[in-house]
Amino acid sequence: MQVWAVANQKGGVGKTTTAVSLGGLLADASQRVLLIDLDPHGSLTSYFKYDPDELETSVYDLFQPEREIDKRLLERLILPTSNPHIDMIPATTALATLERKTVGQEGMGLQVAKALRVLKDQYDYVLIDSPPVLGVLMINALAASGHLLVPVQTEFLALKGLERMLRTINMINRARKRKLTYSLIPTFYDRAVPAAVSALRELHQRFPEQISAAVVPVDSKFITASAKGVTPSAMDLSTPGVQAYIRILRGLAERSRS
Ligand SMILES: Nc1ncnc2c1ncn2[C@@H]1O[C@H](COP(=O)(O)OP(=O)(O)O)[C@@H](O)[C@H]1O
Ligand SMILES: [Mg+2]
């Protein structure tokens, strides 16, 4: 089982879209995919037409110290999606209270990792969508994952935000035996915008090893796919955004083989 967290301490950079697009492509290749929504906004949950305000069970249930994380609990949390190869553990808006509730509780950083240990034979890939704030949820996402995907908008301010994420990765790596590696995925790229071109050039110069095999262009098909609740590749395989994620996925597969 491969576990990839998608994270950036900035909202609206394409995290949820990256999780759904890559998950969809893996599902198209008949891989068994689990998506986990760790963002209290519940965008991933809403994407697949579940209401984060109404759900009674969610990833929140992993954070009840008295409850054992076993197959029985997880079976209750896992929901089907519009894609037969993709399951999801949804978020509820109650997740927003978690940061306050877990202050001072030991071991709460490994709840998702524990759950994935139980599920390791059930899925080939797990993609974790994380919130844009550094807290117990992001720590869980990073601790559970083997490789991190960081979508970065190709604009100057987003590059500044990236610094914060890199500091977080360094902090996590001081506590980990096996270093958390990461890939940067440039998103919302518009080559007609000079500032975007120079932001992309800077990313290539500074992170030649980490930059993904392709750049995700601005593509309105992502918005249409999310309105329909289907993965972008299930809606339109030929659209430039999906084609970019295909190349990115190929690059990620190559790096995990090497
Ligand atoms: N490459 C893109 N081109 C156009 N719109 C996009 C692209 N990527 C994401 N979007 C749209 O932008 C919004 C924010 O993207 P999202 O993936 O939800 O970001 P995040 O999860 O980082 O907050 C969503 O409405 C999404 O459909
Ligand atoms: Mg999101």
Side-chain angles (χ1 to χ4, degrees), residues 31 35 37 41 67 104 203 211:
Q31 300 293 303
L35 300 178
D37 192 354
H41 288 128
R67 196 177 285 176
L203 282 173
I211 196 135

Side-chain angles (χ1 to χ4, degrees), residues 31 38 44 54 68 82 102 113 130 134 150-151 159 163-164 178 188 199 210 212 214 219 222 230 234 242 252:
Q31 300 293 303
L38 279 186
L44 182 64
E54 299 288 332
E68 175 130 23
S82 59
T102 51
S130 35
L134 176 56
V150 185
L159 297 190
E163 304 291 335
R164 228 179 318 149
R178 207 167 64 77
F188 289 91
Q210 287 85 11
S212 60
D219 186 341
F222 288 119
V230 298
V242 170
L252 291 171

